[in-house]
């Protein structure tokens, strides 16, 4: 098992190739377990709320995959769950530097302090930030995990960072059933001048993983959800998958 202080010990899934998670780039996608919100419409609820049900990927195999594939990839996307809720994220991102690829981190925007440190240390080159809707709806949209006042304060900090680093930020909103078109326009109005809000169609939860920037673009059969070595105690042979829907295992091939 990887060091618990490093997010390698919380790496629960990998998509070897995605053309939709970082627009304009062929990237691999790394999934972290856990989240600091409880959105009732979460498409990755099993991964976000019950990460312990999904085996940790075998770190040396993932490193080997990244080393072999680096020449054919344009970037690495770190998503979840909520990566910035993991206290070991920064050393994990520091480790990713070894592969010479730019990194994008997906986030719900509730940890601007972590995002700022990532920016200051140059650990990621891009961020996709969720804007879930009008601030007054955040309690409903997040399962009462955050208040309207707190969400406004935290996202305002993110917007300030985006104004200082416009090349590094993308914003997106999933049009869940609770939101009206007026709500969407209200959320769009929060963004700093010059930024676009990408609208994602809502897809009812049904699997363990979902696409990040394009929920319709992920092929679940390409997701590795646990270590694949038979000798490893958490391999699919040694630990039965307990997620809501079994996901076809894919080996980490170069």
């Amino acid at each position: 098992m990887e060091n618990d202080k490093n997010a390698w010990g919380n790496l629960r899934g990998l998509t070897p190739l995605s053309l939709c998670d970082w627009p304009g780039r062929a990237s691999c996608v790394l999934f972290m377990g856990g989240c600091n919100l409880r959105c009732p419409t979460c498409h990755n609820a099993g991964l976000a709320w019950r990460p312990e049900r999904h085996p940790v990927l075998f770190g040396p195999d993932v490193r080997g995959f990244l080393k072999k594939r680096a020449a054919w990839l344009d970037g690495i996307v770190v998503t979840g769950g909520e990566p910035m809720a993991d206290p070991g994220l920064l050393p994990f991102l520091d480790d990713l530097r070894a592969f010479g690829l730019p990194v994008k981190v997906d986030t719900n925007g509730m940890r601007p302090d972590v995002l700022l440190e990532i920016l200051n240390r140059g650990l990621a080159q891009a961020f996709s930030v969720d804007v879930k809707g009008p601030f007054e709806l955040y309690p409903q949209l997040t399962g009462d995990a955050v208040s309207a006042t707190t969400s406004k304060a935290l996202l305002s900090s993110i917007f300030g960072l985006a104004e200082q680093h416009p090349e590094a930020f993308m914003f997106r909103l999933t049009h869940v059933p609770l939101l009206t078109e007026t709500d969407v326009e209200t959320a769009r109005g929060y963004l700093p001048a010059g930024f676009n809000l990408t609208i994602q169609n809502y897809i009812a939860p049904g699997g363990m993983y979902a696409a990040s920037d394009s929920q319709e673009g992920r092929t679940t059969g390409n997701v590795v959800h646990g270590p694949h070595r038979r000798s490893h105690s958490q391999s699919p042979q040694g630990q039965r998958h307990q997620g809501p829907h079994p996901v076809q295992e894919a080996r980490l091939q170069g």
Side-chain angles (χ1 to χ4, degrees), residues 96-248:
L96 292 183
R97 289 181 177 186
F99 305 104
L101 291 167
V103 173
K104 178 171 79 76
V105 181
D106 294 344
T107 178
N108 57 31
M110 297 294 101
R111 292 298 307 270
D113 55 331
V114 176
L115 196 154
L116 177 59
E117 188 166 1
I118 293 172
L119 268 174
N120 288 341
R121 292 175 55 178
L123 297 177
Q125 288 66 51
F127 304 90
S128 283
V129 182
D130 294 326
V131 181
K132 295 189 178 294
F135 296 133
E136 61 267 24
L137 291 182
Y138 259 73
Q140 293 168 264
L141 292 167
T142 66
D144 288 321
V146 62
S147 69
T149 300
T150 299
S151 65
K152 181 178 181 179
L154 296 175
L155 281 174
S156 294
S157 295
I158 295 288
F159 296 147
L161 292 173
E163 289 181 307
Q164 298 173 42
H165 306 272
E167 74 290 344
F169 284 82
M170 311 169 207
F171 295 97
R172 61 196 185 180
L173 177 148
T174 300
H175 200 324
V176 300
L178 176 64
L179 298 176
T180 66
E181 291 300 329
T182 299
D183 293 331
V184 172
E185 291 308 308
T186 297
R188 194 191 306 275
Y190 296 154
L191 271 58
F195 284 91
N196 295 320
L197 183 63
T198 298
I199 307 301
Q200 300 179 161
N201 292 328
Y202 172 69
I203 299 175
M208 184 171 67
Y209 301 110
S212 302
D213 286 324
S214 175
Q215 291 175 328
E216 300 173 37
R218 168 124 22 240
T219 302
T220 55
N222 286 338
V223 175
V224 180
H225 60 79
H228 66 261
R229 293 190 173 185
R230 291 179 181 273
S231 60
H232 195 276
S233 62
Q234 290 187 313
S235 70
Q237 291 81 11
Q239 177 172 329
R240 186 164 61 90
H241 173 64
Q242 298 178 2
H245 293 278
V247 180
Q248 175 184 346

